[in-house]
Amino acid sequence: MTATIDPVSLAQELIRCPSVTPARGEIFDVLEQALTPLGFTVHRWVMGEEPDGPTENMVAIRRQSGPHFGFAGHLDVVPPGEGWSGDPFTAEVTDGLLVGRGANDMKSAIAAYVAALSRLGSTDGTLSLMITGDEEGYATYGTPRIIDWLNKRQIRPDMILIGEPTSVDRLGDTVKIGRRGSVNMWIEVPGVQGHVAYPHRTTNPIPPLARVIAALDALHLDDGNETFPPSNLEFTGIDTPTHASNVIPGSATAQLNIRFNNLQRGADLVKLVKEIAEREAPGATVRARISGEAFLTPPGQLYDVVVEAIEEETGTKPELSTSGGTSDGRFLIQLCPVVDFGLPNATMHKVGECAAVEDIQALSRIYERIVRKVVG
């Protein structure tokens, strides 16, 4: 009989593999070594070139007749940043907290799921894990390529749970049943560089860029609806190439992000920004990258089993929400119903990222309950 896995110990092993996005190599070795004794056939491949790659992906499958339950997640993490009290990749447990980059988002959830599987024994149905090394980046060679791999082999889960940290104040208080879309844009206004003392020989791009920013900041995109909050446009950067106090720059650039609900489409928002930029600053160019469209999973079995499992373990009925950031559910919804559920998310991406040991253990028990409800 295969020994059961401790989710905290496995999470520590994963955290100790520095896997800043895009991730590959050692950390996938650790996960494969945990899954193989559980009867999973593991498929791994690396693809893509810089700057968006190389990225490693994994699909692990244990096949039986019956429903197909999939779990999705990512092993890559954001850079640790400065200010940690120790090495962010040592994964120490202090005062009941597992500390390290990825402890919250989302190596502990992957470990909790694998540990849950180790306690299941034999089951009906098919179980799979779809794990990417590029969720924190642009996902160019990540989950969309996993979907390509599945489609080529005519493999289609009946439902997918993503282990993103969705809980807010306590474990189990929030499940994400949909996500807003996201689009990043860069607006560049051309000018003519020159000395500030001779402005008649230059064209200053900053005032027209300021007009573009003011016009976009005044936009009211929508009021949201019963399932999504209002769409939101935020500027995230303004830059010029010179950074000198006595030089009028030859160009000026603004960077923005729009998180949008299902009343909007990414391409329509890009078109709107281009029209405003051209009106306020003729000659301006807009470069856009749509990370994903908004999506909503309709009520059904996946809702039911996740909510029931959380209530049984915690005694609390979770809120079904679409707030917050996006996830790879924006891609996986092409395959089947998708929800996100995981740890409390207060420390994700922060210095000192951590997860309570007790929460990791409880999350693993919830995942076990969910899988048992689906595949027996």
Side-chain angles (χ1 to χ4, degrees), residues 3 12 35 106 112 132 176 210 222 242 244 248 261 279 340 364 374:
Q12 288 177 299
L35 287 169
M106 57 170 285
T132 183
K176 298 296 176 69
D222 57 65
T242 55
I248 291 173
N261 57 41
R279 184 189 73 210
D340 297 59
S364 187
V374 177

Side-chain angles (χ1 to χ4, degrees), residues 35-297:
L35 287 169
T36 301
L38 302 180
F40 282 83
T41 301
V42 177
H43 308 270
R44 294 168 55 180
W45 68 97
V46 177
M47 64 188 304
E49 304 296 334
E50 293 183 351
D52 293 354
T55 295
E56 184 158 3
N57 295 312
M58 171 190 287
V59 176
I61 301 179
R62 191 169 78 187
R63 293 178 181 270
Q64 296 288 340
S65 60
H68 181 169
F69 183 86
F71 178 89
H74 62 91
L75 287 171
D76 61 317
V77 297
V78 297
E82 301 295 328
W84 291 75
S85 59
D87 186 335
F89 297 110
T90 55
E92 298 296 331
V93 175
T94 304
D95 297 327
L97 298 175
L98 173 60
V99 181
R101 176 57 82 224
N104 190 263
D105 185 14
M106 57 170 285
K107 295 181 180 182
S108 293
I110 293 174
Y113 186 73
V114 176
L117 297 181
S118 76
R119 299 190 298 270
L120 282 174
S122 61
T123 62
D124 295 326
T126 295
L127 297 173
S128 64
L129 290 88
M130 293 152 280
I131 307 296
T132 183
D134 183 20
E135 191 273 346
E136 299 293 4
Y138 285 117
T140 304
Y141 303 109
T143 296
R145 305 291 76 79
I146 290 178
I147 293 172
D148 292 343
W149 189 94
L150 294 170
N151 286 335
K152 184 176 181 180
R153 290 157 181 81
Q154 297 183 323
I155 299 171
R156 185 170 292 267
D158 295 302
M159 60 188 75
I160 294 173
L161 173 66
I162 305 175
E164 290 285 357
T166 61
S167 301
V168 181
D169 297 318
R170 63 188 182 281
L171 178 67
D173 63 4
T174 306
V175 174
K176 298 296 176 69
I177 59 171
R179 295 284 189 157
R180 292 182 295 175
S182 177
V183 56
N184 291 296
M185 289 184 246
W186 295 263
I187 304 168
E188 182 174 346
V189 176
V192 176
Q193 181 176 317
H195 198 293
V196 294
Y198 303 93
H200 57 287
R201 296 175 178 168
T202 70
T203 301
N204 194 330
I206 296 178
L209 179 62
R211 292 195 296 271
V212 175
I213 292 171
L216 291 173
D217 189 55
L219 275 179
H220 178 75
L221 293 172
D222 57 65
D223 294 315
N225 54 32
E226 65 277 5
T227 52
F228 281 94
S231 300
N232 185 54
L233 184 156
E234 292 293 340
F235 285 93
T236 55
I238 298 174
D239 195 28
T240 60
T242 55
H243 297 182
S245 62
N246 62 348
V247 177
I248 291 173
S251 65
T253 303
Q255 178 178 306
L256 64 90
N257 176 271
I258 303 177
R259 295 298 169 102
F260 57 94
N261 57 41
N262 58 354
L263 299 174
Q264 308 287 345
R265 297 288 295 174
D268 295 334
L269 292 169
V270 174
K271 180 181 178 183
L272 175 63
V273 170
K274 286 182 175 179
E275 290 172 349
I276 292 174
E278 180 59 30
R279 184 189 73 210
E280 301 295 337
T285 59
V286 177
R287 181 167 59 91
R289 194 158 191 173
I290 300 170
S291 300
E293 301 290 342
F295 74 92
L296 181 68
T297 295

